[in-house]
Amino acid sequence: MARTPRNTLSSELIVRTALELMESRGADAFSLRGVAAELGVGPMALYTYFRNKDELYDAVRDHLMGLLPAVPGDAAWPDQVRAVCRSLRLLMLQHPCLAQLLAGRPLSGHETARVAEGLLGVLRAAGFDAETAARTHTTLFTYVLGSTSWEIQMAAERRDPEAWRRLRATMESLSARDFPSVVELAPELARTTGGDEQFDYGLDLLLAGLQLRTPS
Amino acid sequence: MARTPRNTLSSELIVRTALELMESRGADAFSLRGVAAELGVGPMALYTYFRNKDELYDAVRDHLMGLLPAVPGDAAWPDQVRAVCRSLRLLMLQHPCLAQLLAGRPLSGHETARVAEGLLGVLRAAGFDAETAARTHTTLFTYVLGSTSWEIQMAAERRDPEAWRRLRATMESLSARDFPSVVELAPELARTTGGDEQFDYGLDLLLAGLQLRTPS
DNA sequence: CACCGTACTATACACTGTACGTTATGAAGG
DNA sequence: CCTTCATAACGTACAGTGTATAGTACGGTG
């Protein structure tokens, strides 16, 4: 009765191989047939372990979320929040496919819940009521997701010289009369697209706003 | 050989048709062959007007950005910023495909620049220096993009009863011992995923933080 | 009227995810 | 040992996708 797998495959092995392929070839070029070929197996073999491509995506995402460190226990709550947000961002930068995995599917899975638990626990311990804690959690999550996804997207674009050239071209074709601020701030805009400083700037704005509402 | 007359196509017509299809069938199900069929034309006919699918995406995105209203000129700058962010969010909610169009490609195009110009102009007029204006612009944009994309994504998931049922199931399978905060705050988390209140909550945090840095 | 560039068609290729039916392997029961 | 049976993995097939390449017919200009 023990449903022992035949031989070669397992969920973990498939997830690991899928992750490798996403990182080497990019999340867009990823395909079920690719990971099947990498495993020396027919495409349909994967359907024994995952109902479809999305379920494999979910498994890879949860696997990556499992790599996040625990919340530091011995710090003031704003620093704890900062640490959680920064480590999620760092993980996304180390594994760019995570951005698409997070944005494209609803959150689910054990490890994902663990991360949410960490942040929510910090907010509750800081004294925020249930609604504020939930709202803050959602706000922080969407900020980290949005800003880091954007950063990754732009970095990828910059690596493609053809796309980068055309972006510069359209930027420089803008008339300084119609778009004075855009033209004037173009270098600043390019410089502030991504980077730790940019991320921390927005995060600090959020935390400063949040501290104005500190309870007790 | 019943051949359709010569100049039936145009960029605008293609963009309009593409937008209709994205909104009726969803941005994921959108295909070049679909819009070509809708126009009663072979798939390759579109390549006369757009170099590839991505360029069509860009055109649709820029067309949508053209629908954004101008910045209200007679308000305090925080209210102007709020208005810009809210109208972008509103447009994304009215045209859900815009979320994917914005997230998946770098910004370019005339109308897109116009929107950036509006927000940057407000920030400069408020007295912020070049770097702060650029950073704030990027922060606000990624916040609006991230939070509204997430909201749209979740709303779509909620409409699929099968996916929604499985989401509830995994939520309820979490042990209250391992994930006390998640389990306790589950209803709040569900309630704060999306909605004007949630959006304004995060936006107010950002603006509150920003006002602490008001120049002059 | 002849010409030519342009707008469009036709065909083809290399992919994708996955539904369906078949095979062969490993463990369990006699 | 042999039989039995659930199932892991296979092979085939289908309906799609974007787009490269080559061919065709029309409209405006000489």
Side-chain angles (χ1 to χ4, degrees), chain A residues 1 4 6 31-33 43-44 47 52-53:
Chain A
M1 294 299 182
T4 53
R6 185 69 54 86
S31 75
L32 288 183
R33 298 177 111 101
M44 293 314 288
Y47 281 76
N52 51 41
K53 200 187 185 187

Side-chain angles (χ1 to χ4, degrees), chain B residues 5-66:
Chain B
R6 197 97 267 252
N7 279 330
T8 51
L9 259 45
S10 72
S11 304
E12 291 85 36
L13 182 58
I14 294 175
V15 166
R16 232 177 23 241
T17 310
L19 180 57
E20 276 169 26
L21 283 187
M22 283 189 203
E23 306 214 316
S24 66
R25 295 220 272 269
D28 290 332
F30 169 81
S31 74
L32 289 184
R33 298 174 113 102
V35 40
E38 183 76 18
L39 290 164
V41 116
M44 294 312 291
L46 308 179
Y47 281 76
T48 307
Y49 300 89
F50 300 96
R51 256 211 285 266
N52 51 41
K53 200 188 186 187
D54 281 342
E55 235 178 51
L56 175 54
Y57 278 150
D58 287 348
V60 173
R61 172 169 52 70
D62 213 50
H63 170 76
L64 283 175
M65 293 298 263

Side-chain angles (χ1 to χ4, degrees), chain A residues 4 8 11 29 51 69 87 150 154 214:
Chain A
T4 53
T8 51
S11 305
R51 258 204 253 142
S87 60
W150 186 253
M154 289 303 106
T214 306

Side-chain angles (χ1 to χ4, degrees), chain A residues 101-124:
Chain A
L101 293 175
L102 282 171
R105 311 255 320 139
L107 296 184
S108 68
H110 222 76
E111 295 301 328
T112 308
R114 192 179 60 82
V115 175
E117 176 65 28
L119 183 52
L120 285 171
V122 166
L123 293 170
R124 298 265 23 210

Side-chain angles (χ1 to χ4, degrees), chain B residues 64-121:
Chain B
L64 283 175
M65 293 298 263
L67 301 178
L68 277 179
V71 185
D74 56 347
W77 69 260
D79 290 329
Q80 290 179 309
V81 168
R82 226 187 303 266
V84 171
C85 292
R86 279 193 185 141
S87 60
L88 176 55
R89 174 180 128 89
L90 193 62
L91 190 69
M92 290 174 71
L93 291 178
Q94 287 166 340
H95 306 274
C97 57
L98 182 55
Q100 276 154 271
L101 293 175
L102 282 172
R105 310 252 325 136
L107 295 184
S108 67
H110 223 78
E111 295 301 329
T112 308
R114 194 180 58 84
V115 175
E117 176 65 28
L119 183 52
L120 286 172

Side-chain angles (χ1 to χ4, degrees), chain A residues 119-140:
Chain A
L119 183 52
L120 285 171
V122 166
L123 293 170
R124 298 265 23 210
F128 290 102
D129 63 273
E131 174 166 346
T132 306
R135 288 210 185 284
T136 306
H137 171 86
T138 301
T139 298
L140 289 170

Side-chain angles (χ1 to χ4, degrees), chain A residues 8-19:
Chain A
T8 51
L9 258 48
S10 73
S11 305
E12 290 87 37
L13 182 58
I14 294 174
V15 166
R16 229 171 31 234
T17 310
L19 181 57

